[in-house]
Structures are given as structure tokens and as C-alpha cells.
Amino acid sequence: DRPQRVPLEHGDVVVWGGPARLRYHGVLTLKQAQHSLTGACRYNLTFRRAR
């Protein structure tokens, strides 16, 4: 499959699981800007269920 670009904006959430979690993925670097709440930061959260 060819890579697909998906534009993300402030407040967007990306969720995937199952077989899709093994696909290659990446997030482009941030543009130079300041957000009123987070400054020049991006937060990445990963949740996994322990068994």
C-alpha cells in the first residue's frame, strides 16, 4: 500500500488498533508556532492494556 498523508490540526485525535497497529506510521514535525495552552509542544499518548 502507498503511504497516505492525513493532515492533523490542534485537537485532533488519531486512534488505531488491531492489525493496523503494526503499520508504519509517523507524524510530521511541528510548524514554528505557539499555542496558548501548550506553547511549542506536542503531546503523544500511548495506551496499552496489560494482560
Side-chain angles (χ1 to χ4, degrees):
D1 295 338
R2 292 186 58 192
Q4 180 180 2
R5 288 181 183 236
V6 179
L8 299 176
E9 297 184 19
H10 172 72
D12 288 351
V13 175
V14 179
V15 177
W16 66 87
R21 75 187 188 289
L22 301 176
R23 291 186 184 169
Y24 172 79
H25 62 279
V27 177
L28 295 175
T29 57
L30 294 173
K31 294 180 182 178
Q32 287 292 352
Q34 289 285 346
H35 186 271
S36 60
L37 296 175
T38 62
C41 297
R42 175 178 65 212
Y43 293 92
N44 297 315
L45 303 175
T46 300
F47 298 96
R48 298 175 191 254
R49 184 173 69 188
R51 293 181 179 213

mmCIF file of all heavy atoms in Angstrom:
data_model
loop_
_atom_site.group_PDB
_atom_site.id
_atom_site.type_symbol
_atom_site.label_atom_id
_atom_site.label_comp_id
_atom_site.label_asym_id
_atom_site.label_seq_id
_atom_site.Cartn_x
_atom_site.Cartn_y
_atom_site.Cartn_z
ATOM 1 N N ASP A 1 0.837 -1.187 0.000
ATOM 2 C CA ASP A 1 0.000 0.000 0.000
ATOM 3 C C ASP A 1 0.878 1.244 0.000
ATOM 4 O O ASP A 1 1.935 1.276 0.628
ATOM 5 C CB ASP A 1 -0.905 0.022 1.210
ATOM 6 C CG ASP A 1 -1.920 -1.111 1.220
ATOM 7 O OD1 ASP A 1 -2.204 -1.649 0.131
ATOM 8 O OD2 ASP A 1 -2.411 -1.431 2.296
ATOM 9 N N ARG A 2 0.411 2.291 -0.674
ATOM 10 C CA ARG A 2 1.124 3.561 -0.677
ATOM 11 C C ARG A 2 0.814 4.336 0.598
ATOM 12 O O ARG A 2 -0.313 4.295 1.092
ATOM 13 C CB ARG A 2 0.700 4.385 -1.883
ATOM 14 C CG ARG A 2 1.164 3.782 -3.198
ATOM 15 C CD ARG A 2 0.855 4.680 -4.342
ATOM 16 N NE ARG A 2 1.516 5.972 -4.100
ATOM 17 C CZ ARG A 2 1.287 7.056 -4.785
ATOM 18 N NH1 ARG A 2 0.419 7.047 -5.766
ATOM 19 N NH2 ARG A 2 1.911 8.186 -4.521
ATOM 20 N N PRO A 3 1.805 5.042 1.121
ATOM 21 C CA PRO A 3 1.538 5.880 2.301
ATOM 22 C C PRO A 3 0.486 6.935 1.984
ATOM 23 O O PRO A 3 0.373 7.402 0.859
ATOM 24 C CB PRO A 3 2.887 6.543 2.585
ATOM 25 C CG PRO A 3 3.892 5.698 1.895
ATOM 26 C CD PRO A 3 3.202 5.103 0.716
ATOM 27 N N GLN A 4 -0.262 7.293 2.980
ATOM 28 C CA GLN A 4 -1.312 8.298 2.839
ATOM 29 C C GLN A 4 -1.059 9.403 3.851
ATOM 30 O O GLN A 4 -0.829 9.130 5.026
ATOM 31 C CB GLN A 4 -2.670 7.644 3.104
ATOM 32 C CG GLN A 4 -3.831 8.574 2.980
ATOM 33 C CD GLN A 4 -5.148 7.855 3.260
ATOM 34 O OE1 GLN A 4 -5.183 6.680 3.570
ATOM 35 N NE2 GLN A 4 -6.226 8.575 3.159
ATOM 36 N N ARG A 5 -1.073 10.645 3.390
ATOM 37 C CA ARG A 5 -0.907 11.783 4.304
ATOM 38 C C ARG A 5 -2.272 12.205 4.833
ATOM 39 O O ARG A 5 -3.209 12.380 4.062
ATOM 40 C CB ARG A 5 -0.250 12.953 3.601
ATOM 41 C CG ARG A 5 1.197 12.718 3.319
ATOM 42 C CD ARG A 5 1.806 13.919 2.647
ATOM 43 N NE ARG A 5 3.179 13.620 2.325
ATOM 44 C CZ ARG A 5 4.200 14.342 2.731
ATOM 45 N NH1 ARG A 5 4.007 15.424 3.445
ATOM 46 N NH2 ARG A 5 5.422 13.999 2.419
ATOM 47 N N VAL A 6 -2.339 12.365 6.127
ATOM 48 C CA VAL A 6 -3.575 12.805 6.774
ATOM 49 C C VAL A 6 -3.240 14.068 7.559
ATOM 50 O O VAL A 6 -2.501 14.013 8.538
ATOM 51 C CB VAL A 6 -4.132 11.720 7.719
ATOM 52 C CG1 VAL A 6 -5.390 12.197 8.405
ATOM 53 C CG2 VAL A 6 -4.370 10.429 6.960
ATOM 54 N N PRO A 7 -3.746 15.219 7.123
ATOM 55 C CA PRO A 7 -3.436 16.445 7.862
ATOM 56 C C PRO A 7 -4.104 16.445 9.236
ATOM 57 O O PRO A 7 -5.257 16.063 9.376
ATOM 58 C CB PRO A 7 -4.000 17.562 6.979
ATOM 59 C CG PRO A 7 -4.941 16.903 6.034
ATOM 60 C CD PRO A 7 -4.577 15.456 5.963
ATOM 61 N N LEU A 8 -3.337 16.841 10.254
ATOM 62 C CA LEU A 8 -3.856 16.920 11.613
ATOM 63 C C LEU A 8 -3.809 18.362 12.071
ATOM 64 O O LEU A 8 -2.898 19.104 11.726
ATOM 65 C CB LEU A 8 -3.012 16.068 12.563
ATOM 66 C CG LEU A 8 -2.953 14.579 12.260
ATOM 67 C CD1 LEU A 8 -2.016 13.887 13.228
ATOM 68 C CD2 LEU A 8 -4.337 13.973 12.320
ATOM 69 N N GLU A 9 -4.784 18.742 12.846
ATOM 70 C CA GLU A 9 -4.846 20.084 13.394
ATOM 71 C C GLU A 9 -5.000 19.999 14.905
ATOM 72 O O GLU A 9 -5.276 18.922 15.451
ATOM 73 C CB GLU A 9 -6.024 20.851 12.782
ATOM 74 C CG GLU A 9 -5.877 21.051 11.284
ATOM 75 C CD GLU A 9 -6.996 21.881 10.692
ATOM 76 O OE1 GLU A 9 -7.676 22.591 11.459
ATOM 77 O OE2 GLU A 9 -7.180 21.815 9.475
ATOM 78 N N HIS A 10 -4.839 21.122 15.573
ATOM 79 C CA HIS A 10 -4.953 21.144 17.027
ATOM 80 C C HIS A 10 -6.267 20.511 17.470
ATOM 81 O O HIS A 10 -7.324 20.794 16.925
ATOM 82 C CB HIS A 10 -4.883 22.591 17.548
ATOM 83 C CG HIS A 10 -5.187 22.684 19.003
ATOM 84 N ND1 HIS A 10 -4.306 22.234 19.955
ATOM 85 C CD2 HIS A 10 -6.279 23.112 19.665
ATOM 86 C CE1 HIS A 10 -4.841 22.403 21.145
ATOM 87 N NE2 HIS A 10 -6.028 22.934 21.003
ATOM 88 N N GLY A 11 -6.175 19.632 18.442
ATOM 89 C CA GLY A 11 -7.360 18.980 18.984
ATOM 90 C C GLY A 11 -7.707 17.672 18.313
ATOM 91 O O GLY A 11 -8.562 16.937 18.789
ATOM 92 N N ASP A 12 -7.045 17.345 17.187
ATOM 93 C CA ASP A 12 -7.325 16.083 16.503
ATOM 94 C C ASP A 12 -6.769 14.909 17.301
ATOM 95 O O ASP A 12 -5.761 15.025 18.001
ATOM 96 C CB ASP A 12 -6.690 16.063 15.115
ATOM 97 C CG ASP A 12 -7.402 16.970 14.134
ATOM 98 O OD1 ASP A 12 -8.487 17.474 14.486
ATOM 99 O OD2 ASP A 12 -6.889 17.173 13.020
ATOM 100 N N VAL A 13 -7.439 13.776 17.184
ATOM 101 C CA VAL A 13 -7.015 12.544 17.843
ATOM 102 C C VAL A 13 -6.962 11.453 16.792
ATOM 103 O O VAL A 13 -7.870 11.338 15.968
ATOM 104 C CB VAL A 13 -8.009 12.146 18.965
ATOM 105 C CG1 VAL A 13 -7.644 10.809 19.565
ATOM 106 C CG2 VAL A 13 -8.072 13.227 20.029
ATOM 107 N N VAL A 14 -5.905 10.644 16.826
ATOM 108 C CA VAL A 14 -5.767 9.513 15.910
ATOM 109 C C VAL A 14 -5.777 8.245 16.749
ATOM 110 O O VAL A 14 -5.005 8.116 17.699
ATOM 111 C CB VAL A 14 -4.468 9.603 15.096
ATOM 112 C CG1 VAL A 14 -4.332 8.401 14.179
ATOM 113 C CG2 VAL A 14 -4.413 10.894 14.303
ATOM 114 N N VAL A 15 -6.651 7.311 16.399
ATOM 115 C CA VAL A 15 -6.764 6.053 17.140
ATOM 116 C C VAL A 15 -6.731 4.910 16.136
ATOM 117 O O VAL A 15 -7.443 4.945 15.135
ATOM 118 C CB VAL A 15 -8.083 5.992 17.945
ATOM 119 C CG1 VAL A 15 -8.219 4.655 18.660
ATOM 120 C CG2 VAL A 15 -8.175 7.153 18.922
ATOM 121 N N TRP A 16 -5.894 3.905 16.398
ATOM 122 C CA TRP A 16 -5.936 2.708 15.585
ATOM 123 C C TRP A 16 -5.536 1.530 16.442
ATOM 124 O O TRP A 16 -4.881 1.662 17.449
ATOM 125 C CB TRP A 16 -5.089 2.813 14.319
ATOM 126 C CG TRP A 16 -3.612 2.929 14.509
ATOM 127 C CD1 TRP A 16 -2.713 1.903 14.634
ATOM 128 C CD2 TRP A 16 -2.861 4.130 14.594
ATOM 129 N NE1 TRP A 16 -1.454 2.408 14.790
ATOM 130 C CE2 TRP A 16 -1.508 3.780 14.769
ATOM 131 C CE3 TRP A 16 -3.184 5.474 14.537
ATOM 132 C CZ2 TRP A 16 -0.509 4.714 14.886
ATOM 133 C CZ3 TRP A 16 -2.170 6.396 14.658
ATOM 134 C CH2 TRP A 16 -0.861 6.018 14.824
ATOM 135 N N GLY A 17 -5.971 0.354 16.031
ATOM 136 C CA GLY A 17 -5.674 -0.855 16.784
ATOM 137 C C GLY A 17 -5.827 -2.057 15.897
ATOM 138 O O GLY A 17 -5.980 -1.928 14.681
ATOM 139 N N GLY A 18 -5.795 -3.228 16.483
ATOM 140 C CA GLY A 18 -5.878 -4.462 15.706
ATOM 141 C C GLY A 18 -4.685 -4.576 14.769
ATOM 142 O O GLY A 18 -3.593 -4.098 15.073
ATOM 143 N N PRO A 19 -4.848 -5.188 13.607
ATOM 144 C CA PRO A 19 -3.742 -5.349 12.661
ATOM 145 C C PRO A 19 -3.138 -4.014 12.213
ATOM 146 O O PRO A 19 -1.960 -3.939 11.898
ATOM 147 C CB PRO A 19 -4.371 -6.081 11.478
ATOM 148 C CG PRO A 19 -5.561 -6.771 12.049
ATOM 149 C CD PRO A 19 -6.053 -5.882 13.153
ATOM 150 N N ALA A 20 -3.931 -2.936 12.219
ATOM 151 C CA ALA A 20 -3.436 -1.633 11.768
ATOM 152 C C ALA A 20 -2.324 -1.103 12.674
ATOM 153 O O ALA A 20 -1.507 -0.295 12.241
ATOM 154 C CB ALA A 20 -4.584 -0.628 11.717
ATOM 155 N N ARG A 21 -2.249 -1.563 13.911
ATOM 156 C CA ARG A 21 -1.229 -1.038 14.828
ATOM 157 C C ARG A 21 0.181 -1.417 14.383
ATOM 158 O O ARG A 21 1.155 -0.823 14.825
ATOM 159 C CB ARG A 21 -1.493 -1.505 16.247
ATOM 160 C CG ARG A 21 -1.146 -2.955 16.487
ATOM 161 C CD ARG A 21 -1.586 -3.418 17.871
ATOM 162 N NE ARG A 21 -1.099 -4.732 18.185
ATOM 163 C CZ ARG A 21 -1.513 -5.866 17.642
ATOM 164 N NH1 ARG A 21 -2.452 -5.840 16.728
ATOM 165 N NH2 ARG A 21 -1.002 -7.027 17.995
ATOM 166 N N LEU A 22 0.311 -2.405 13.506
ATOM 167 C CA LEU A 22 1.622 -2.837 13.033
ATOM 168 C C LEU A 22 2.082 -2.076 11.797
ATOM 169 O O LEU A 22 3.210 -2.260 11.344
ATOM 170 C CB LEU A 22 1.595 -4.337 12.741
ATOM 171 C CG LEU A 22 1.235 -5.226 13.943
ATOM 172 C CD1 LEU A 22 1.138 -6.679 13.513
ATOM 173 C CD2 LEU A 22 2.227 -5.045 15.068
ATOM 174 N N ARG A 23 1.241 -1.247 11.228
ATOM 175 C CA ARG A 23 1.609 -0.494 10.033
ATOM 176 C C ARG A 23 2.597 0.608 10.374
ATOM 177 O O ARG A 23 2.575 1.166 11.471
ATOM 178 C CB ARG A 23 0.377 0.137 9.389
ATOM 179 C CG ARG A 23 -0.539 -0.885 8.787
ATOM 180 C CD ARG A 23 -1.644 -0.212 8.052
ATOM 181 N NE ARG A 23 -2.578 -1.211 7.561
ATOM 182 C CZ ARG A 23 -3.743 -0.945 7.058
ATOM 183 N NH1 ARG A 23 -4.154 0.305 6.990
ATOM 184 N NH2 ARG A 23 -4.522 -1.898 6.629
ATOM 185 N N TYR A 24 3.441 0.941 9.413
ATOM 186 C CA TYR A 24 4.374 2.051 9.585
ATOM 187 C C TYR A 24 3.567 3.333 9.718
ATOM 188 O O TYR A 24 2.602 3.541 9.001
ATOM 189 C CB TYR A 24 5.318 2.148 8.391
ATOM 190 C CG TYR A 24 6.165 3.385 8.449
ATOM 191 C CD1 TYR A 24 7.288 3.431 9.266
ATOM 192 C CD2 TYR A 24 5.818 4.525 7.742
ATOM 193 C CE1 TYR A 24 8.053 4.569 9.357
ATOM 194 C CE2 TYR A 24 6.574 5.673 7.827
ATOM 195 C CZ TYR A 24 7.690 5.689 8.631
ATOM 196 O OH TYR A 24 8.428 6.829 8.724
ATOM 197 N N HIS A 25 3.978 4.186 10.638
ATOM 198 C CA HIS A 25 3.296 5.469 10.798
ATOM 199 C C HIS A 25 4.295 6.497 11.317
ATOM 200 O O HIS A 25 5.317 6.154 11.912
ATOM 201 C CB HIS A 25 2.101 5.363 11.750
ATOM 202 C CG HIS A 25 2.493 4.963 13.137
ATOM 203 N ND1 HIS A 25 2.739 3.664 13.485
ATOM 204 C CD2 HIS A 25 2.703 5.697 14.245
ATOM 205 C CE1 HIS A 25 3.072 3.608 14.763
ATOM 206 N NE2 HIS A 25 3.067 4.828 15.253
ATOM 207 N N GLY A 26 4.012 7.721 11.062
ATOM 208 C CA GLY A 26 4.868 8.802 11.526
ATOM 209 C C GLY A 26 4.067 10.090 11.565
ATOM 210 O O GLY A 26 3.008 10.198 10.954
ATOM 211 N N VAL A 27 4.567 11.048 12.291
ATOM 212 C CA VAL A 27 3.919 12.353 12.405
ATOM 213 C C VAL A 27 4.935 13.403 11.996
ATOM 214 O O VAL A 27 6.077 13.393 12.481
ATOM 215 C CB VAL A 27 3.417 12.608 13.846
ATOM 216 C CG1 VAL A 27 2.806 13.993 13.971
ATOM 217 C CG2 VAL A 27 2.418 11.538 14.253
ATOM 218 N N LEU A 28 4.549 14.291 11.093
ATOM 219 C CA LEU A 28 5.448 15.338 10.636
ATOM 220 C C LEU A 28 5.827 16.261 11.786
ATOM 221 O O LEU A 28 5.097 16.384 12.773
ATOM 222 C CB LEU A 28 4.789 16.151 9.524
ATOM 223 C CG LEU A 28 4.494 15.394 8.234
ATOM 224 C CD1 LEU A 28 3.723 16.288 7.271
ATOM 225 C CD2 LEU A 28 5.776 14.928 7.586
ATOM 226 N N THR A 29 6.964 16.919 11.649
ATOM 227 C CA THR A 29 7.388 17.864 12.672
ATOM 228 C C THR A 29 6.413 19.029 12.745
ATOM 229 O O THR A 29 5.701 19.322 11.790
ATOM 230 C CB THR A 29 8.797 18.396 12.371
ATOM 231 O OG1 THR A 29 8.781 18.989 11.076
ATOM 232 C CG2 THR A 29 9.823 17.286 12.399
ATOM 233 N N LEU A 30 6.412 19.691 13.888
ATOM 234 C CA LEU A 30 5.522 20.825 14.092
ATOM 235 C C LEU A 30 6.021 22.047 13.336
ATOM 236 O O LEU A 30 7.231 22.270 13.228
ATOM 237 C CB LEU A 30 5.450 21.181 15.579
ATOM 238 C CG LEU A 30 4.820 20.149 16.502
ATOM 239 C CD1 LEU A 30 4.997 20.580 17.937
ATOM 240 C CD2 LEU A 30 3.365 19.979 16.175
ATOM 241 N N LYS A 31 5.100 22.838 12.859
ATOM 242 C CA LYS A 31 5.460 24.134 12.288
ATOM 243 C C LYS A 31 5.829 25.065 13.436
ATOM 244 O O LYS A 31 5.357 24.901 14.556
ATOM 245 C CB LYS A 31 4.286 24.724 11.502
ATOM 246 C CG LYS A 31 3.926 23.932 10.279
ATOM 247 C CD LYS A 31 2.759 24.573 9.564
ATOM 248 C CE LYS A 31 2.364 23.757 8.359
ATOM 249 N NZ LYS A 31 1.210 24.327 7.668
ATOM 250 N N GLN A 32 6.677 26.046 13.154
ATOM 251 C CA GLN A 32 7.044 27.015 14.183
ATOM 252 C C GLN A 32 5.820 27.853 14.544
ATOM 253 O O GLN A 32 5.301 28.578 13.711
ATOM 254 C CB GLN A 32 8.163 27.926 13.675
ATOM 255 C CG GLN A 32 9.496 27.245 13.599
ATOM 256 C CD GLN A 32 10.051 26.892 14.976
ATOM 257 O OE1 GLN A 32 9.527 27.269 16.012
ATOM 258 N NE2 GLN A 32 11.141 26.148 14.978
ATOM 259 N N ALA A 33 5.335 27.677 15.750
ATOM 260 C CA ALA A 33 4.163 28.417 16.216
ATOM 261 C C ALA A 33 4.047 28.236 17.718
ATOM 262 O O ALA A 33 4.693 27.380 18.299
ATOM 263 C CB ALA A 33 2.899 27.922 15.526
ATOM 264 N N GLN A 34 3.228 29.023 18.322
ATOM 265 C CA GLN A 34 2.958 28.916 19.750
ATOM 266 C C GLN A 34 1.461 28.708 19.950
ATOM 267 O O GLN A 34 0.653 29.379 19.320
ATOM 268 C CB GLN A 34 3.379 30.206 20.471
ATOM 269 C CG GLN A 34 4.862 30.401 20.552
ATOM 270 C CD GLN A 34 5.509 29.492 21.605
ATOM 271 O OE1 GLN A 34 4.841 28.900 22.444
ATOM 272 N NE2 GLN A 34 6.818 29.390 21.542
ATOM 273 N N HIS A 35 1.115 27.776 20.792
ATOM 274 C CA HIS A 35 -0.283 27.565 21.154
ATOM 275 C C HIS A 35 -0.490 28.176 22.531
ATOM 276 O O HIS A 35 0.388 28.105 23.397
ATOM 277 C CB HIS A 35 -0.610 26.074 21.169
ATOM 278 C CG HIS A 35 -2.065 25.814 21.394
ATOM 279 N ND1 HIS A 35 -2.592 25.674 22.644
ATOM 280 C CD2 HIS A 35 -3.093 25.703 20.535
ATOM 281 C CE1 HIS A 35 -3.895 25.472 22.549
ATOM 282 N NE2 HIS A 35 -4.220 25.483 21.282
ATOM 283 N N SER A 36 -1.636 28.749 22.747
ATOM 284 C CA SER A 36 -1.889 29.454 24.007
ATOM 285 C C SER A 36 -1.824 28.539 25.235
ATOM 286 O O SER A 36 -1.521 28.999 26.333
ATOM 287 C CB SER A 36 -3.242 30.160 23.957
ATOM 288 O OG SER A 36 -4.278 29.213 23.756
ATOM 289 N N LEU A 37 -2.097 27.245 25.070
ATOM 290 C CA LEU A 37 -2.067 26.331 26.213
ATOM 291 C C LEU A 37 -0.806 25.480 26.291
ATOM 292 O O LEU A 37 -0.294 25.217 27.370
ATOM 293 C CB LEU A 37 -3.291 25.402 26.169
ATOM 294 C CG LEU A 37 -4.649 26.078 26.312
ATOM 295 C CD1 LEU A 37 -5.766 25.062 26.136
ATOM 296 C CD2 LEU A 37 -4.768 26.764 27.657
ATOM 297 N N THR A 38 -0.303 25.031 25.146
ATOM 298 C CA THR A 38 0.812 24.083 25.153
ATOM 299 C C THR A 38 2.132 24.674 24.690
ATOM 300 O O THR A 38 3.151 23.994 24.721
ATOM 301 C CB THR A 38 0.481 22.873 24.270
ATOM 302 O OG1 THR A 38 0.293 23.324 22.924
ATOM 303 C CG2 THR A 38 -0.741 22.141 24.762
ATOM 304 N N GLY A 39 2.135 25.919 24.239
ATOM 305 C CA GLY A 39 3.372 26.516 23.740
ATOM 306 C C GLY A 39 3.789 25.857 22.439
ATOM 307 O O GLY A 39 2.973 25.615 21.568
ATOM 308 N N ALA A 40 5.062 25.519 22.331
ATOM 309 C CA ALA A 40 5.588 24.893 21.106
ATOM 310 C C ALA A 40 5.751 23.390 21.316
ATOM 311 O O ALA A 40 6.705 22.787 20.845
ATOM 312 C CB ALA A 40 6.902 25.538 20.730
ATOM 313 N N CYS A 41 4.841 22.761 22.049
ATOM 314 C CA CYS A 41 4.946 21.333 22.371
ATOM 315 C C CYS A 41 3.824 20.534 21.734
ATOM 316 O O CYS A 41 2.751 21.034 21.472
ATOM 317 C CB CYS A 41 4.868 21.117 23.885
ATOM 318 S SG CYS A 41 6.207 21.869 24.782
ATOM 319 N N ARG A 42 4.108 19.262 21.519
ATOM 320 C CA ARG A 42 3.093 18.311 21.082
ATOM 321 C C ARG A 42 3.090 17.183 22.105
ATOM 322 O O ARG A 42 4.142 16.747 22.567
ATOM 323 C CB ARG A 42 3.446 17.750 19.701
ATOM 324 C CG ARG A 42 2.477 16.666 19.255
ATOM 325 C CD ARG A 42 2.795 16.136 17.877
ATOM 326 N NE ARG A 42 4.071 15.449 17.851
ATOM 327 C CZ ARG A 42 4.861 15.443 16.791
ATOM 328 N NH1 ARG A 42 4.542 16.081 15.703
ATOM 329 N NH2 ARG A 42 6.001 14.805 16.833
ATOM 330 N N TYR A 43 1.935 16.691 22.467
ATOM 331 C CA TYR A 43 1.822 15.604 23.431
ATOM 332 C C TYR A 43 1.415 14.334 22.701
ATOM 333 O O TYR A 43 0.444 14.324 21.953
ATOM 334 C CB TYR A 43 0.777 15.926 24.507
ATOM 335 C CG TYR A 43 1.222 17.065 25.384
ATOM 336 C CD1 TYR A 43 0.883 18.371 25.087
ATOM 337 C CD2 TYR A 43 2.008 16.824 26.493
ATOM 338 C CE1 TYR A 43 1.301 19.422 25.882
ATOM 339 C CE2 TYR A 43 2.435 17.869 27.303
ATOM 340 C CZ TYR A 43 2.073 19.155 26.985
ATOM 341 O OH TYR A 43 2.493 20.191 27.770
ATOM 342 N N ASN A 44 2.174 13.264 22.926
ATOM 343 C CA ASN A 44 1.870 11.949 22.365
ATOM 344 C C ASN A 44 1.515 11.025 23.523
ATOM 345 O O ASN A 44 2.295 10.890 24.469
ATOM 346 C CB ASN A 44 3.073 11.375 21.613
ATOM 347 C CG ASN A 44 3.456 12.223 20.438
ATOM 348 O OD1 ASN A 44 2.613 12.652 19.684
ATOM 349 N ND2 ASN A 44 4.737 12.470 20.284
ATOM 350 N N LEU A 45 0.377 10.371 23.447
ATOM 351 C CA LEU A 45 -0.061 9.445 24.487
ATOM 352 C C LEU A 45 -0.231 8.070 23.876
ATOM 353 O O LEU A 45 -0.820 7.923 22.808
ATOM 354 C CB LEU A 45 -1.388 9.894 25.091
ATOM 355 C CG LEU A 45 -1.427 11.299 25.683
ATOM 356 C CD1 LEU A 45 -2.836 11.640 26.118
ATOM 357 C CD2 LEU A 45 -0.472 11.412 26.854
ATOM 358 N N THR A 46 0.274 7.048 24.549
ATOM 359 C CA THR A 46 0.101 5.670 24.117
ATOM 360 C C THR A 46 -0.545 4.909 25.259
ATOM 361 O O THR A 46 -0.058 4.940 26.388
ATOM 362 C CB THR A 46 1.461 5.039 23.766
ATOM 363 O OG1 THR A 46 2.074 5.776 22.728
ATOM 364 C CG2 THR A 46 1.275 3.582 23.325
ATOM 365 N N PHE A 47 -1.633 4.232 24.955
ATOM 366 C CA PHE A 47 -2.340 3.429 25.950
ATOM 367 C C PHE A 47 -2.283 1.973 25.524
ATOM 368 O O PHE A 47 -2.591 1.650 24.380
ATOM 369 C CB PHE A 47 -3.801 3.871 26.079
ATOM 370 C CG PHE A 47 -3.945 5.291 26.545
ATOM 371 C CD1 PHE A 47 -4.117 6.321 25.649
ATOM 372 C CD2 PHE A 47 -3.893 5.592 27.899
ATOM 373 C CE1 PHE A 47 -4.236 7.627 26.067
ATOM 374 C CE2 PHE A 47 -4.013 6.888 28.337
ATOM 375 C CZ PHE A 47 -4.196 7.912 27.426
ATOM 376 N N ARG A 48 -1.903 1.110 26.433
ATOM 377 C CA ARG A 48 -1.872 -0.334 26.165
ATOM 378 C C ARG A 48 -2.562 -1.056 27.301
ATOM 379 O O ARG A 48 -2.443 -0.662 28.455
ATOM 380 C CB ARG A 48 -0.430 -0.819 26.040
ATOM 381 C CG ARG A 48 0.308 -0.169 24.902
ATOM 382 C CD ARG A 48 1.771 -0.602 24.926
ATOM 383 N NE ARG A 48 2.518 0.218 24.013
ATOM 384 C CZ ARG A 48 2.967 -0.203 22.845
ATOM 385 N NH1 ARG A 48 2.733 -1.424 22.462
ATOM 386 N NH2 ARG A 48 3.645 0.609 22.068
ATOM 387 N N ARG A 49 -3.221 -2.123 26.973
ATOM 388 C CA ARG A 49 -3.867 -2.915 28.004
ATOM 389 C C ARG A 49 -2.920 -4.042 28.425
ATOM 390 O O ARG A 49 -2.488 -4.840 27.594
ATOM 391 C CB ARG A 49 -5.167 -3.513 27.462
ATOM 392 C CG ARG A 49 -5.939 -4.283 28.517
ATOM 393 C CD ARG A 49 -7.275 -4.709 28.022
ATOM 394 N NE ARG A 49 -7.090 -5.739 26.999
ATOM 395 C CZ ARG A 49 -8.065 -6.215 26.268
ATOM 396 N NH1 ARG A 49 -9.281 -5.752 26.387
ATOM 397 N NH2 ARG A 49 -7.836 -7.147 25.361
ATOM 398 N N ALA A 50 -2.595 -4.090 29.691
ATOM 399 C CA ALA A 50 -1.732 -5.150 30.221
ATOM 400 C C ALA A 50 -2.578 -6.369 30.489
ATOM 401 O O ALA A 50 -3.706 -6.275 30.966
ATOM 402 C CB ALA A 50 -1.046 -4.687 31.496
ATOM 403 N N ARG A 51 -2.034 -7.505 30.190
ATOM 404 C CA ARG A 51 -2.764 -8.762 30.432
ATOM 405 C C ARG A 51 -2.035 -9.612 31.420
ATOM 406 O O ARG A 51 -0.920 -9.629 31.581
ATOM 407 C CB ARG A 51 -2.927 -9.539 29.125
ATOM 408 C CG ARG A 51 -3.833 -8.806 28.179
ATOM 409 C CD ARG A 51 -3.995 -9.597 26.929
ATOM 410 N NE ARG A 51 -4.902 -8.836 26.064
ATOM 411 C CZ ARG A 51 -5.731 -9.409 25.244
ATOM 412 N NH1 ARG A 51 -5.807 -10.698 25.146
ATOM 413 N NH2 ARG A 51 -6.492 -8.696 24.487
#
